[in-house]
Structure formats: C-alpha cells, structure tokens
Amino acid sequence: MFAAIAKADDKPISADQLPDAAKTFIKANYPTENILYASKEDGLIYPDYEVTLANGVHVEFYSDGALKSIESREGVPADLIPVQIVEFVKVRYPDAYFVQYEVDKRHFEVKLSNRLELK
C-alpha cells in the first residue's frame, strides 16, 4: 500500500513572472486594472498561478498561462465564455449574469448571479 501526500505552496510572485499567455489575457481583458497580488502554486507536476486585480477580479491560470477560472462579483464578461453556454443562459435565466467561469479538460462550469451552478 502506497500513500502520497502533496503539499501545495503558494509563493507570491511579481506580475512579470506570470506566463506570457496569462499576461496577455489580463492585458486584453482588463487593460486598465493593476495586479494587486500574484502567486505561484507549486503542484506535483506543474505550477498554477493566481492573480487578484484591483477591481476584485480573481483569475487562475494553468502552468502554460491558459485560463483555469475567473471570478468576479460584478460579473465575468460573457465574451470569455463559449457562445453555446452564453446563449443557453440568456434563454433559460435572462436576469442572471456570470460570476464565475471554470475551464477543465473535460467540462466547463459557470456560476450565475442567482446562485445556480451549471456544468
């Protein structure tokens, strides 16, 4: 019987230490926002990155800088979410907006302002 224990360490980093794709994402979608905090989480194989912007938006990136998740109480821009999901939500929940969007290898997950979570 084998047991593995993993410890993830969050290390504060400068914005310059983020992967290029993560920096490009932030500049393209939040060009006027400053990065308040950035960290690198050393995983078992690849690190993940977390960023908090001055406007309260929290973004997580995979080791290559690809978007992992984005969260904002004020709303996540719909243009960051696949069109099929946006259209589904517009039809079924017209008064709701996106507050979180997560990307995984096998699925997408959104959380709406009405507290509903969709996978």
Side-chain angles (χ1 to χ4, degrees), residues 102-109 119:
E102 294 181 29
V103 180
D104 196 324
K105 292 179 183 178
R106 297 182 188 178
H107 68 275
F108 302 101
E109 183 176 331
K119 271 191 180 182

Side-chain angles (χ1 to χ4, degrees), residues 24-99:
T24 300
F25 176 89
I26 293 168
K27 286 179 186 176
N29 294 289
Y30 298 96
T32 61
E33 293 301 323
N34 292 321
I35 294 175
L36 289 182
Y37 180 78
S39 67
K40 178 179 177 182
E41 182 181 297
D42 288 329
L44 290 174
I45 300 173
Y46 300 108
D48 286 341
Y49 297 88
E50 294 185 21
V51 174
T52 301
L53 302 177
N55 64 355
V57 172
H58 181 78
V59 189
E60 294 182 27
F61 298 99
Y62 289 105
S63 61
D64 63 355
L67 180 66
K68 182 176 183 178
S69 72
I70 183 167
E71 183 176 358
S72 172
R73 290 182 183 173
E74 303 301 317
V76 172
D79 60 341
L80 298 177
I81 299 169
V83 174
Q84 299 91 334
I85 296 171
V86 173
E87 292 301 319
F88 178 85
V89 169
K90 278 184 185 178
V91 170
R92 298 268 173 25
Y93 311 101
D95 296 330
Y97 58 90
F98 299 100
V99 294

